[in-house]
C-alpha cells in the first residue's frame, strides 16, 4: 500500500476518532479538555522496534493494541479512569503505508473497548526503527489515587490474575517452539495484554487498598518498588503465586522454570496491591493472596513456608 | 562515563526536578496533579536521531533544550501556560552514560527558564537510534485558548519575530560552511529555539486574536492550516516577512534564496496569528504585519504588491 503522506495519515487517524463535544482533539497545536474535577493522572510509555516488539513477530494491530494497553494499565494501577490518549509515532519508509494503518486498527480496537479517545499526538519519519510513544491522561477523585508508598505492616499482598503468561509467550516466540493451543494462548497474553482498568477503579472505590501498582517489569522488581516506597518488608509465597494451566502445561513440557517466568517475567499487567485480609469480600473479581507486608525492608520468598534463596530479578532496560 | 543503569538514571533526573507540594512526580505509575480550573492543553512531539538531530552536530544539551522547547511552543501557540512536561527517552548503549546526562542538563536549563517541572516519563533502551518524546500539559482560562480556526476576513496576519534563521542555521550545518559569527547565530537559533510562551499568553489575554499557531513546519505550510481550518484565504507580502540581519548577510554571501528559507524553512517557533490592524498597541513586544485574511480559500504571495508564483511549501515528514 502506498503511503498517504503525513497529513493523509493524520486524516486517516481522525476518521477513527471523531470529534467530541467540548473537546478539541487532533488537528490543532494542542488538545483542549475541560479541567474537570479531582486529580489528573498522567503516564507515558515509549515502545521501540527491536526492543519491545519485532515486526517479524508482532502484527501491526498487536503493536497498536499493546502500545495503548501498557498506558491504560498505568491509569488502572492508580485506580483512575482513563480520559484520553496521545500517540506519537515515528515511521521508517517501509512502515508508512499498510503497517501504519493496521497499527491504527489495533490502537482503535482497544481505545473503543475502554471508551478512551485519541486526542492528539505527532507523526514523523524515522531512519530505521519504528518508535511509538503513547501518553495517557486519567482522572481520579481527589486524594483517592492508589500509590506505591501506601503499604502498611500486616497487610496482605494480592495480585489480580495469573503471572508469567506474558513471559512464557515471549519465551515461546524467542525459542520458536511448536505453537500448540496452550502456547498460542500465552503468546496472545504477551501480544494483547488486558489492562485492569475496571478492577483498578473498583479497588480504589473500596477505600481499603494500601498500595497498588501494575506488574510491568515482573513482580520481583515491582514489589521492591512498593516496599522501598512504603518503608516496609514483604514475605511472598512462591507457591501461592497464581499461574495459568496453560503456563503450567507448557513449562512442564519444555522444562522451563515456572517460578522464574512468574516472578521475573514482566508485562502481565495484572495489579499488585496490599490491603486487609478480607479485601476479597468487597470485589467481584478474583484476588489472589500471595504474601504479607512485614516490618523491615527485606523481600523474602518462601516455598512450602520455608524461605528460599531467590536469584529472581525483574527486567531493567539498561 | 559508565551508565548508572535505568533506575540510577531516573534517580539522576529526580535530583534535577525535586518533589513539589500537592503533586506526585517521577516515581509512581502516573504523575498526579490537581485538576485545577479552566481548560487543559496537551501536546506531544517525538524527535528521532537522524531525522530531527544528528549526534555529530548537536550537543546532548542542545537536543535536551530543543525537545522541551518545541513542546512549550505548542502551549504558547494556544496562549496557554505550561504546567508540566513528561519525557520518554530511548537510549542505545553508547548514549546511556554521558550523552543521557548531558541531555538532562539541557532539558533542565529550559525547564527552569520557563519554570515547568518534569513530572514523569519513561526510560528504555534502543537498538540503534535515540528517540525522545516530550509531552506537555498546560492550562488556559476556559474558552480563551487560541486555535487555528478563528481567522476572520479583514484581519491582519502577524508573526512575532524573524523567520528563516533556523532553516539558515540547518543549511549552514548541512553544507558545512565557515562558522563566522553570523552563521553561529543562525545555528544557535536552530539548536536552541525560544518558545514564545510569554508572548502567547499576552496575546491570549488581549482577547483580540482571531487564530494563532506556532511556526514549526514553515509559514507556507502552517498558514495553510489556518486558512483551511478557518475557511478563509490569505494574501502575504514576501517583502514584509521579517528576516534577521544575520540571515540577510549569510544569504547574500552564500547566494541562498532568503525567501525560500523564510517561507518554507521550519522550526523558527515564532507565533503566527491574525487580529485587528491595531493589535500592536496592546502588546509590548514586536509584532510584524505580513498580510491580510481575505475571502476565498487561496494563499497568495506578493512581492512589491504584485502576486508571485510560489513553489514554496513547508516540510512534510512523509
Amino acid at each position: 500500500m502506498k503511503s498517504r503522506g503525513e497529513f493523509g495519515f493524520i486524516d486517516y487517524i481522525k476518521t477513527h476518532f471523531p470529534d467530541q463535544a467540548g473537546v478539541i482533539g487532533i488537528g490543532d497545536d494542542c488538545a483542549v479538555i475541560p479541567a474537570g474535577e479531582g486529580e489528573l493522572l498522567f503516564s507515558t510509555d515509549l515502545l521501540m522496534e527491536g526492543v519491545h516488539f519485532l515486526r517479524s513477530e508482532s502484527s501491526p494491530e498487536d503493536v497498536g493494541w499493546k502500545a495503548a494497553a501498557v498506558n491504560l494499565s498505568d491509569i488502572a494501577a492508580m485506580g483512575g479512569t482513563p480520559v484520553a490518549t496521545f500517540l506519537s509515532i515515528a515511521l521508517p519508509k517501509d512502515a508508512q503505508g499498510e503497517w501504519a494503518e493496521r497499527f491504527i486498527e489495533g490502537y482503535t480496537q482497544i481505545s473503543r473497548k475502554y471508551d478512551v479517545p485519541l486526542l492528539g499526538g505527532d507523526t514523523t519519519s524515522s531512519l530505521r526503527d519504528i518508535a511509538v510513544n503513547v501518553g495517557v491522561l486519567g482522572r481520579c477523585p481527589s486524594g483517592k489515587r492508589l500509590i506505591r508508598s501506601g503499604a502498611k505492616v500486616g497487610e496482605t499482598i494480592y495480585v489480580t490474575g495469573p503471572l508469567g503468561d506474558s513471559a512464557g509467550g515471549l519465551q515461546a516466540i524467542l525459542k520458536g517452539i511448536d505453537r500448540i493451543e496452550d502456547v498460542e494462548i500465552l503468546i496472545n497474553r504477551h501480544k494483547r495484554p488486558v489492562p485492569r482498568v475496571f478492577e483498578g477503579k473498583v479497588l480504589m472505590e473500596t477505600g481499603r487498598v494500601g498500595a497498588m501498582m501494575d506488574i510491568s517489569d515482573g513482580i520481583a522488581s515491582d514489589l521492591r518498588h512498593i516496599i522501598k516506597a512504603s518503608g516496609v518488608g514483604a514475605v511472598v509465597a512462591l507457591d501461592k503465586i497464581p499461574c495459568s494451566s496453560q503456563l503450567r502445561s507448557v513449562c512442564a513440557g519444555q522444562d522451563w522454570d515456572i517460578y522464574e517466568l512468574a516472578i521475573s517475567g514482566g508485562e502481565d499487567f495484572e495489579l499488585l496491591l496490599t490491603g486487609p485480609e478480607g479485601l476479597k469480600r468487597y470485589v467481584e473479581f478474583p484476588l489472589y493472596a500471595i504474601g504479607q507486608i512485614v516490618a523491615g525492608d527485606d523481600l523474602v520468598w518462601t516455598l512450602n513456608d520455608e524461605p528460599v534463596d531467590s536469584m529472581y530479578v525483574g527486567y531493567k532496560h539498561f
Side-chain angles (χ1 to χ4, degrees), chain A:
Chain A
M1 190 189 300
K2 201 179 158 307
S3 164
R4 298 166 189 266
E6 182 179 6
F7 297 131
F9 180 55
I10 294 170
D11 287 340
Y12 176 80
I13 296 173
K14 282 170 81 166
T15 63
H16 291 68
F17 294 95
D19 290 344
Q20 299 201 311
V23 164
I24 298 175
I26 299 165
D28 219 297
D29 292 293
C30 295
V32 184
I33 305 164
E37 306 221 317
E39 287 179 319
L40 307 172
L41 310 176
F42 193 80
S43 182
T44 184
D45 275 288
L46 177 55
L47 305 186
M48 296 296 292
E49 180 180 359
V51 177
H52 300 92
F53 65 92
L54 301 170
R55 255 193 274 183
S56 57
E57 288 299 340
S58 288
S59 74
E61 291 89 345
D62 287 344
V63 179
W65 173 285
K66 194 164 177 175
V70 301
N71 280 279
L72 295 175
S73 182
D74 282 322
I75 298 293
M78 310 287 279
T81 302
V83 171
T85 65
F86 307 91
L87 168 66
S88 300
I89 187 162
L91 294 164
K93 276 226 160 5
D94 60 355
Q96 288 170 8
E98 183 186 346
W99 196 94
E101 296 191 6
R102 290 177 58 193
F103 172 93
I104 294 298
E105 296 304 323
Y107 194 95
T108 303
Q109 285 165 18
I110 188 166
S111 298
R112 290 198 180 142
K113 179 172 160 145
Y114 291 94
D115 198 20
V116 187
L118 171 64
L119 289 186
D122 190 24
T123 53
T124 184
S125 55
S126 170
L127 280 190
R128 300 180 288 201
D129 297 325
I130 298 168
V132 177
N133 190 84
V134 177
V136 61
L137 179 71
R139 279 188 204 285
C140 200
S142 289
K144 298 285 190 186
R145 69 287 180 286
L146 298 172
I147 56 179
R148 298 177 179 184
S149 58
K152 291 171 286 293
V153 174
E155 285 184 326
T156 301
I157 302 169
Y158 299 96
V159 293
T160 53
L163 303 185
D165 282 2
S166 176
L170 177 61
Q171 190 152 307
I173 294 170
L174 296 176
K175 297 196 180 234
I177 67 172
D178 278 354
R179 298 215 173 171
I180 55 173
E181 191 183 341
D182 283 347
V183 172
E184 281 294 355
I185 288 169
L186 299 184
I187 289 176
N188 194 55
R189 284 267 290 170
H190 178 69
K191 291 183 174 174
R192 295 252 172 172
V194 174
R196 298 294 179 200
V197 176
F198 167 75
E199 292 82 353
K201 183 157 183 269
V202 169
L203 286 162
M204 178 275 291
E205 286 170 346
T206 68
R208 289 161 195 278
V209 174
M212 190 158 80
M213 68 183 298
D214 66 331
I215 301 176
S216 55
D217 290 339
I219 191 173
S221 171
D222 291 331
L223 185 54
R224 277 189 194 284
H225 291 307
I226 284 183
I227 67 177
K228 189 177 166 197
S230 302
V232 296
V235 179
V236 181
L238 280 175
D239 41 333
K240 288 199 177 154
I241 288 177
C243 291
S244 71
S245 61
Q246 293 85 9
L247 185 66
R248 290 184 190 283
S249 159
V250 173
C251 283
Q254 298 290 331
D255 204 20
W256 291 349
D257 180 349
I258 192 166
Y259 291 132
E260 188 181 341
L261 293 171
I263 305 296
S264 303
E267 304 208 331
D268 284 310
F269 299 108
E270 297 293 346
L271 298 175
L272 170 66
L273 59 136
T274 69
E277 201 179 348
L279 185 61
K280 290 181 204 186
R281 286 200 304 273
Y282 299 92
V283 303
E284 292 182 345
F285 46 83
L287 277 184
Y288 302 87
I290 59 167
Q292 292 291 129
I293 297 295
V294 297
D297 56 9
D298 281 345
L299 172 53
V300 175
W301 301 93
T302 66
L303 194 58
N304 303 321
D305 293 327
E306 293 292 325
V308 287
D309 267 355
S310 173
M311 61 269 97
Y312 302 117
V313 293
Y315 192 73
K316 279 189 289 188
H317 276 291
F318 55 86

